[in-house]
Amino acid sequence: MTQRFALYLQDKHNMRDELNMVHYAEERGFSEIWQADTRLARDCIVMMSAFLAHSKKLRIGSGVLPIWTRNPAVIAATWSTMWELGGGKGEDGRGRVMLGLGAWWEPIATRVGVKREKPLQAIRENIEVIRQLFTMEEVTYEGSFVHLDRIKLDVAYGDHSPRDIPIYIGATGDKMLEMAGEICDGVVLNYVVSVDYIKKAIGLVEQGAKKAGKTIKDIDTPELLVCCLSDEDPKAAMAEGKKLIAYYLATEPHIMKASGVSEELLEKVQSILT
């Protein structure tokens, strides 16, 4: 099996530099690019579209799009458009785009007026509907969060074939990890977590897969990794890594709690940085 290598991009680098990175990665055999969309920084759809237009083979995914920010029918239409931009089905029978979805986190959701209620149910309904819409058939759906009445992707002149777009959940909590294994093609595993956490997470994904008659081999499990590198000044690289850890302690406590960080340490860092 060929080793997969990917890049996960946020908003650290100049956009032109990132486009150059995409060229560099493709020329050197990288398999994919994942674009973040978790904070109010860069919109993943804009960046993914640019990456698709500036590459030929790389697969491009969202890591991950919050479900509360767009209607699921609009999400399906957007990814269908990017599927076309990426050339539709490739020689290997796969398209070039991947859809990663997430439930967002607190406190950002509340601060922008989103009621993050029953995220497991909301994610499930979104995925069920989007997957149906990718078949290009008409969909009627009545859920607690999603309501569609005879809706289909309205492609009048283009390719009417089903969109082979794999769906991932960016999952951290136990129940979300298990559900990802059950209903998704893959799960995007977080960075800044412990090895023990990852072992446990994979076990939960496997449990979910078994519920749907699948094995862990049927589930794609990419994990985000943070690297701070410097040949000239390793101490500076270490300092950058520490700054990133502090940022996540302050702004995304759910990730830190997953690795067993104490409430006392979380509160101390948050009091300094927020």
Side-chain angles (χ1 to χ4, degrees):
M1 177 179 170
T2 303
Q3 180 68 52
R4 287 169 60 189
F5 287 96
L7 293 177
Y8 177 69
L9 302 177
Q10 293 186 324
D11 61 329
K12 173 73 173 178
H13 306 96
N14 176 278
M15 289 185 186
R16 281 290 163 195
D17 290 340
E18 290 195 354
L19 293 176
N20 290 334
M21 289 180 196
V22 170
H23 282 295
Y24 182 91
E26 185 162 65
E27 289 173 357
R28 284 154 181 79
F30 279 63
S31 59
E32 58 220 59
I33 306 287
W34 291 85
Q35 172 62 45
D37 192 345
T38 52
R39 307 179 346 262
L40 298 177
R42 288 182 181 164
D43 178 81
C44 72
I45 293 166
V46 173
M47 299 307 298
M48 288 176 65
S49 299
F51 298 157
L52 287 164
H54 284 78
S55 61
K56 296 179 180 179
K57 296 181 180 180
L58 282 170
R59 304 183 75 212
I60 311 295
S62 53
V64 291
L65 179 77
I67 57 169
W68 314 100
T69 58
R70 291 171 177 84
N71 180 279
V74 174
I75 294 174
T78 300
W79 257 255
S80 173
T81 304
M82 288 195 288
W83 181 85
E84 289 188 73
L85 180 60
K89 283 189 178 181
E91 295 178 359
D92 60 358
R94 301 189 306 172
R96 292 177 57 208
V97 294
M98 302 170 286
L99 172 58
L101 294 171
W104 240 358
W105 71 87
E106 294 296 358
I108 188 172
T110 297
R111 289 179 178 177
V112 298
V114 168
K115 292 183 178 180
R116 192 176 173 276
E117 299 174 346
K118 298 181 179 179
L120 287 165
Q121 182 64 26
I123 282 273
R124 181 181 288 273
E125 291 183 12
N126 272 264
I127 289 174
E128 288 176 349
V129 161
I130 292 168
R131 197 181 293 282
Q132 290 181 52
L133 288 168
F134 283 161
T135 68
M136 306 303 284
E137 300 296 327
E138 184 177 279
V139 178
T140 294
Y141 189 98
E142 189 64 30
S144 299
F145 297 89
V146 178
H147 312 276
L148 297 185
D149 180 16
R150 295 167 295 165
I151 293 297
K152 65 183 298 185
L153 295 183
D154 187 15
V155 178
Y157 303 103
D159 186 345
H160 291 78
S161 62
R163 289 6 186 175
D164 57 321
I165 301 173
I167 301 176
Y168 296 70
I169 293 177
T172 302
D174 291 1
K175 292 181 180 179
M176 194 70 79
L177 285 162
E178 187 172 336
M179 189 174 74
E182 178 189 355
I183 69 173
C184 287
D185 302 288
V187 55
V188 181
L189 297 167
N190 264 314
Y191 49 18
V192 200
V193 290
S194 67
V195 173
D196 287 341
Y197 166 82
I198 290 297
K199 290 178 179 178
K200 177 185 175 184
I202 293 295
L204 290 165
V205 173
E206 185 173 22
Q207 285 180 208
K210 288 179 179 178
K211 285 184 178 180
K214 300 181 289 186
T215 71
I216 192 63
K217 293 181 179 179
D218 298 315
I219 309 299
D220 194 18
T221 55
E223 183 189 354
L224 308 179
L225 298 174
V226 178
C227 299
C228 296
L229 307 175
S230 174
D231 291 331
E232 298 177 355
D233 193 348
K235 289 185 178 180
M238 182 64 73
E240 286 298 312
K242 289 180 178 179
K243 282 175 13 183
L244 184 73
I245 297 294
Y247 166 83
Y248 275 99
L249 282 166
T251 62
E252 299 191 31
H254 66 293
I255 294 179
M256 296 295 96
K257 287 178 181 178
S259 286
V261 175
S262 69
E263 287 285 349
E264 182 181 2
L265 179 57
L266 286 172
E267 291 175 1
K268 183 177 181 180
V269 175
Q270 288 173 337
S271 68
I272 295 171
L273 296 181
T274 58

